[in-house]
Every structure is written in structure tokens, then in C-alpha cells.
Amino acid sequence: MSNLTPPNLTGEIEQRRARAQAWFESLQQRICAELERLEDEAPAELYPEPAGRFEMRPWTRETGVGGGIGGYFKGRLFEKACVHTSAATSRFSPEMAATMPGADKDPSYVSASISLIVHPRSPRAPTVHLNTRFLSTAVSWFGGGADLTPMLPEQRSQDADDAVLFHRAMQAACDAFDPEWYGRYKAWCDEYFYLPHRKEPRGVGGIFYDRHDSGDFERDFAFTQAVGEAFLEVYPKIVRHRMDEPWTEEDRQAQLVQRGRYVEFNLLYDRGTTFGLKAGGNIETILSSMPPMVSWP
Amino acid sequence: MSNLTPPNLTGEIEQRRARAQAWFESLQQRICAELERLEDEAPAELYPEPAGRFEMRPWTRETGVGGGIGGYFKGRLFEKACVHTSAATSRFSPEMAATMPGADKDPSYVSASISLIVHPRSPRAPTVHLNTRFLSTAVSWFGGGADLTPMLPEQRSQDADDAVLFHRAMQAACDAFDPEWYGRYKAWCDEYFYLPHRKEPRGVGGIFYDRHDSGDFERDFAFTQAVGEAFLEVYPKIVRHRMDEPWTEEDRQAQLVQRGRYVEFNLLYDRGTTFGLKAGGNIETILSSMPPMVSWP
């Protein structure tokens, strides 16, 4: 692969990409294992179906070098989930290079990422999203975040139990590095995951960061790892709180409608989704975030 | 209202807007009555629920003069339908004026339109869409069209029964005016209602036209009326063919997935939807096109 390393990307950058990729892939394995553990624990009275298992499908890029591992899940506690990793050594299209720092002279880049969305069957368990990535052109940065989308109105305030737990975990991940990051990245998340046409937030937020480069790769990599660890600790805790709670048909209807807002956000505003689709990305991966059943009554 | 008529829009234009509006509103009444008639005719073995009725909700614009009549329906044969009319004497935002013929010097315009989408409950009955409008800035034109979206794979070819009936009706409406219009407007429809990320058409097409101005208002108005009449004749015929056919759970699943493609098209590509939402249009009206139940399995 070394003969494909572009001139502005040193061996050190490729090494960093490889380390980030290895870490995202190990996180993917741990998250998948934990979601399967939760799936097994779900009470049979509420979830009579057999427990689901992840199906892992590796894929290879058609341009450049790289690919990824798509993790797809259909189950009883988790109606649908996807946990994907990918990595690349490639070149941005001219259109995309124009929007990327450090890509104006040379569109070469390396990347590694993890992204996941979990749609629980129970309307009482929140949907969650995590996406973190390492990207390098002539400059390098991390980006990503995690955010929570409870489905029922009473769970969708900042001081609802699940929101408090989730925010506390994300704050701890940030505060271990810099006391200023959490406030900034929480505000960015609220701004990003917002549906202007409905004047509604997508969920209760979390953190969102991009072009994160403190000048110290090791520190920034450790921060992105801390976000992943915080997610892996807090989301299963929230699901365990909720998995024994029965729900009503009315709750289910509210969930299907709230999922419609999720679809509206992803197709109208989410940069990853709209750009990925228009740039000819892997549809199966990009649209695996869509909820399994949705209603616009 | 005459003191609000903008300098570049003559009394004649306002009269034309009023005639178009009156016609669209009478078409709306006739379509709603016909859909209710079909709803009543639906066989109770397949549709045990009580027959639905349209709920008509008039609304008034917040800027400029005008408003509309929203027609909303939930029923047994038709799981969800909307038939809306609207009319306005107003001014385009600078952003929108830049894209509109004749609005570069003066953003004033008048408009009148009808738009509808019908989502039958049966996967064997096709979804349909119609939208026609009169618009005038310093220049005037008609635009719109009608297209059919069958849900089952075997119905989604150009020579399937419903597609043939629908295309024949649209062709007759065009051919009565100009033998060249049908080929052009059918091709435009195929080009417009296409999902590039899936390399799939939305449905089997129909006709699509915009900035239609042959130089003869009476002729162009008569053409848009003929499109409405053709729709009113052919769609009920198609539904009557299909309403006695039972369907399987597998058909229903295929329908819910196909409806997901409809959502993807409307939120990713449809100009009316994406522009309307981003420009702060009436959400309830714009998103009433969304299918009642959808699946991304």
C-alpha cells in the first residue's frame, strides 16, 4: 500500500490511520457483543421472539484503497441496529475537496471511522447514534459525537432520567481532557440535530464535534476513544433500565411518529446521509440508519 | 385586493389567477367526491372499517394575500390521501425570485394550484400524485403533471395494465392540443421522478411539465384542465379494477418498502417538498404527502 500513499501524507499519517482503524474495529466488536448480551437478557414476556445476532459483512472500496465492516442486526429488543467501521486511503472528488481543510492543493486523504444507530423495539427505550472518525489531508483531525433520541414526550426533556445519564457520561469524557469542550460540543450537537421546518430538536442531544485538532494527536485520539468508552458504558445502562417496562399501543404509535422525524432529519439535513447518497456512497450502509417501521399518520 | 396588485401584474393576470383558482377548487371538490364514492364502494370483506370522509381545512397565508383549502382523508380503501388547493398574490423571497422567470426586476407573483397524493391501503392499488398550477410574474405559465406509483414489482413495468391505462389517458390529454407534448412531458416525468442513489424510477411515470407557455393562455389553461379531467377519469377506473383483489402479507411488506422509496424521493429530491420546507412553507400541507406507514427493514 505504501506506493499509493500520496505525497502529502507521510508514513506517520498512515500509521495513525491504522491505529484509529484498529481501535474503531475493536470498539465495533465490543459494542456488537454488548448489544447481543442485552438482546439475550431481554425478558421473554415482552420480547417473545428469538434473540437476534449481528451479521458482519466486510466490503472493499471501488476507488482508492480501503473498505469496511458493516454490522447489521435485526432482533427482538433491538428491532434494528447497525454498527459500521470503514477506512480509506483515497482522493476526494473536486466537489468534496473544496469543502475539506487541507485538500485544496492535493485531494488525497486517509480516514477511519465508526458509525452506529440503534432502534429499540420498545418505545420506552431511546434510539441512539454514535459516529466518530479520524481524517487526514495535509492536516489531520477527529470528528464525531453521540446523541440520544428518546421517543416519548415525557422522556424528551433535558432533565429526563435517560438524558441526564447520557449527558453526564459525555461530559465526563470531555472534562477529562478540557473543561471547555463539553459546553462547546453539547451546544454544537443541539444546533446540528435540529429540524428547522418543525422547530424541534431531533432528540435530547449529546455532543458533536468536527475538525477537532488540539495540536496533539495522542490527546485527540484518546478523547475520541473516551467518547466511545462513555457510549459503551452509558447506553447499555439506559437500555437495562428500560427493557423491563411494558408499553402501550399509544406509546408504539408515538414512537412510529417520532421515528418519522428521524427520517426527515436524516434525509433533509444530515450531511453524512445526503452527501453520501449524492456522492454515490454505499447505499446499503448509508441507509441502514433508517428506522425499521415508521408512520406519518 | 386591487391596491395590492403589484405594478407588473395587470388586472387581467389577477382575473386569470381567479379563473384558474376557481377551476382547481371545483376539480378538488369533484376529486374528493369521487374518492369518497370509491371508499363507499370498497368491499367490506377486504375493508371492514367504516368508510372515511374528507376533512376540509381552509387556511390563510401569513404573508401576501391568499391561502388555500387543505383536504385530508383517512379511510379504509384509501389509507391516507390529501387533496389541496391554494392561491396567492404575494412576493417571492430574493432566493426564490432568483430562480423564477420574470421575477428578476419585481418579485411579485400570483399563483393558483392543486396538488394531491393518494395512498391506497391495498398494495395492489397504485399510489398516485397530481399537481398542476398557474403562476405569473412578469411572465405567466402553467406547470405540473400526474404520475403513478404501483407498489408491486410486477405492476412496475411500462406495459403493466395500470401503467398502460394511465399513460393512455395522459397521452390523450396532451394529443388533443399538440402531438409533440406527450413525448416531451413523459420523458421529463421519467427524468424527474428518479432516485439516482438507487438507480430506480419512483414509479411508472406519467407526465411532467413546467414553464408551459404556448403564448395562448386559453389553450394552456384548457390543457391543464384536460390533465385534471384525464386524472379524474383514469385513476378511479384503476382503483375499481383493483379494489376487489385480496393481498398477502408479503404484498403488504413490499408496499411498505416501496413507500420508503417514495419518502426518500420526496425528502431528498422533490423540489416542492425540499424548497417548501426550507422556505418555511405550511408543513402540515407539504408533509401530508408522506405515506401513513413505511418500512426500511
Side-chain angles (χ1 to χ4, degrees):
Chain A
M1 204 154 104
S2 62
N3 63 333
L4 277 160
T5 300
N8 74 346
L9 297 173
T10 63
E12 185 182 37
I13 293 293
E14 274 287 9
Q15 274 186 346
R16 288 175 176 179
R17 198 261 312 136
R19 282 177 60 201
Q21 178 180 355
W23 194 80
F24 289 140
E25 289 179 1
S26 74
L27 181 64
Q28 178 185 36
Q29 287 173 22
R30 290 163 63 208
I31 289 172
C32 291
E34 182 64 17
L35 293 177
E36 290 184 349
R37 199 149 34 230
L38 288 162
E39 175 82 1
D40 288 341
E41 287 173 25
E45 314 87 75
L46 292 175
Y47 306 93
E49 305 81 7
R53 282 293 172 266
F54 270 93
E55 185 190 334
M56 308 308 285
R57 298 183 212 147
W59 57 275
T60 304
R61 287 181 66 88
E62 287 174 14
T63 57
V65 173
I69 304 169
Y72 300 87
F73 188 92
K74 290 187 200 183
R76 54 180 195 168
L77 175 64
F78 300 114
E79 194 173 344
K80 184 177 174 185
C82 57
V83 183
H84 303 314
T85 52
S86 71
T89 298
S90 187
R91 290 165 167 272
F92 288 128
S93 64
E95 189 191 6
M96 196 148 177
T99 71
M100 285 290 168
D104 48 336
K105 290 190 184 129
D106 180 342
S108 307
Y109 73 94
V110 300
S111 69
S113 70
I114 183 168
S115 71
L116 70 86
I117 289 189
V118 181
H119 294 288
R121 187 176 302 277
S122 165
R124 303 196 59 79
T127 285
V128 78
H129 163 245
L130 166 85
N131 168 228
T132 56
R133 61 195 164 275
F134 172 64
L135 236 153
S136 186
T137 57
V139 295
S140 294
W141 67 94
F142 285 88
D147 67 289
L148 194 74
T149 306
M151 294 286 144
L152 302 181
E154 66 270 24
Q155 300 174 336
R156 292 172 59 81
S157 73
Q158 290 297 310
D159 52 5
D161 292 351
D162 298 346
V164 168
L165 272 180
F166 195 81
H167 290 324
R168 199 178 290 156
M170 291 301 140
Q171 178 161 13
C174 294
D175 284 355
F177 295 86
D178 189 317
E180 292 199 347
W181 290 355
Y182 180 64
R184 195 185 313 155
Y185 293 161
K186 180 174 193 299
W188 199 347
C189 188
D190 290 340
E191 188 193 332
Y192 184 80
F193 292 107
Y194 184 75
L195 285 73
H197 65 286
R198 295 206 180 261
K199 301 184 177 69
E200 281 174 15
R202 183 170 85 168
V204 295
I207 58 170
F208 183 99
Y209 58 103
D210 204 358
R211 301 178 185 182
H212 177 94
D213 176 15
S214 72
D216 178 349
F217 169 82
E218 296 301 336
R219 182 173 174 236
D220 295 342
F221 184 24
F223 167 58
T224 279
Q225 289 175 294
V227 171
E229 297 289 354
F231 169 84
L232 186 51
E233 192 254 329
V234 73
Y235 186 65
K237 188 181 291 181
I238 290 171
V239 172
R240 279 198 181 87
H241 284 175
R242 297 292 176 193
M243 69 197 286
D244 295 320
E245 295 179 359
W247 61 90
T248 65
E249 188 49 39
E250 198 183 355
D251 292 338
R252 176 70 174 174
Q253 274 307 314
Q255 177 195 42
L256 298 185
V257 171
Q258 198 61 51
R259 283 177 175 174
R261 308 289 200 263
Y262 211 85
V263 170
E264 290 173 22
F265 180 83
N266 285 13
L267 297 182
L268 287 168
Y269 305 110
D270 186 60
R271 282 173 229 152
T273 307
T274 56
F275 194 94
L277 291 179
K278 288 173 186 176
N282 183 329
I283 299 173
E284 186 186 40
T285 308
I286 298 168
L287 290 178
S288 61
S289 65
M290 302 297 266
M293 192 69 81
V294 183
S295 176
W296 283 269
Chain B
M1 203 155 105
S2 60
N3 62 334
L4 278 160
T5 300
N8 74 344
L9 297 173
T10 62
E12 185 181 38
I13 293 294
E14 275 287 8
Q15 274 186 345
R16 289 176 175 180
R17 198 260 313 137
R19 282 177 61 200
Q21 177 180 357
W23 194 80
F24 289 139
E25 289 179 1
S26 75
L27 180 64
Q28 177 185 37
Q29 287 172 21
R30 290 163 63 207
I31 289 172
C32 291
E34 183 62 18
L35 293 177
E36 290 183 349
R37 197 147 38 229
L38 288 161
E39 175 81 1
D40 287 342
E41 287 174 24
E45 314 85 76
L46 292 175
Y47 306 93
E49 305 82 7
R53 282 294 172 267
F54 269 94
E55 185 190 333
M56 308 307 285
R57 298 183 211 148
W59 56 275
T60 304
R61 286 181 65 87
E62 287 175 13
T63 57
V65 172
I69 304 169
Y72 301 87
F73 188 92
K74 290 187 200 184
R76 52 180 195 168
L77 174 64
F78 300 114
E79 194 173 343
K80 184 177 172 185
C82 57
V83 184
H84 303 313
T85 52
S86 71
T89 298
S90 187
R91 289 166 167 272
F92 287 127
S93 64
E95 188 192 8
M96 196 147 177
T99 71
M100 285 289 167
D104 47 337
K105 289 189 184 132
D106 180 343
S108 307
Y109 73 93
V110 300
S111 69
S113 70
I114 183 168
S115 71
L116 71 86
I117 290 189
V118 181
H119 295 287
R121 186 176 304 277
S122 166
R124 303 195 59 78
T127 285
V128 78
H129 163 243
L130 166 85
N131 168 229
T132 55
R133 61 195 163 274
F134 172 64
L135 235 152
S136 186
T137 56
V139 295
S140 293
W141 69 93
F142 285 89
D147 67 289
L148 194 73
T149 306
M151 294 286 144
L152 301 181
E154 66 270 24
Q155 299 174 339
R156 291 172 60 81
S157 74
Q158 291 297 311
D159 52 5
D161 292 351
D162 298 347
V164 169
L165 272 179
F166 194 81
H167 290 322
R168 198 178 290 153
M170 290 301 141
Q171 176 161 14
C174 294
D175 285 355
F177 294 87
D178 189 316
E180 293 198 346
W181 290 356
Y182 180 65
R184 195 186 313 157
Y185 293 160
K186 180 174 194 299
W188 200 347
C189 189
D190 289 340
E191 188 193 332
Y192 184 80
F193 292 107
Y194 184 76
L195 285 73
H197 64 287
R198 295 208 180 259
K199 301 184 177 66
E200 281 174 16
R202 183 169 85 168
V204 295
I207 59 170
F208 182 99
Y209 58 103
D210 204 1
R211 300 177 185 185
H212 177 94
D213 177 16
S214 72
D216 177 349
F217 169 83
E218 296 301 337
R219 181 170 173 240
D220 297 341
F221 184 24
F223 167 59
T224 278
Q225 290 175 293
V227 171
E229 297 289 354
F231 169 85
L232 187 51
E233 192 254 329
V234 73
Y235 186 65
K237 187 180 293 182
I238 290 171
V239 172
R240 279 198 181 85
H241 283 175
R242 298 291 177 192
M243 69 198 287
D244 295 320
E245 296 178 358
W247 61 89
T248 65
E249 186 49 39
E250 200 183 353
D251 293 337
R252 176 70 175 174
Q253 274 307 313
Q255 177 195 43
L256 298 185
V257 171
Q258 198 61 50
R259 283 178 175 174
R261 308 289 200 264
Y262 211 86
V263 170
E264 290 173 20
F265 180 84
N266 285 13
L267 297 182
L268 287 169
Y269 304 110
D270 186 60
R271 283 173 228 151
T273 306
T274 56
F275 194 93
L277 290 178
K278 288 172 187 179
N282 183 331
I283 299 173
E284 185 186 40
T285 308
I286 298 168
L287 290 178
S288 61
S289 66
M290 302 296 267
M293 191 68 82
V294 182
S295 176
W296 283 270

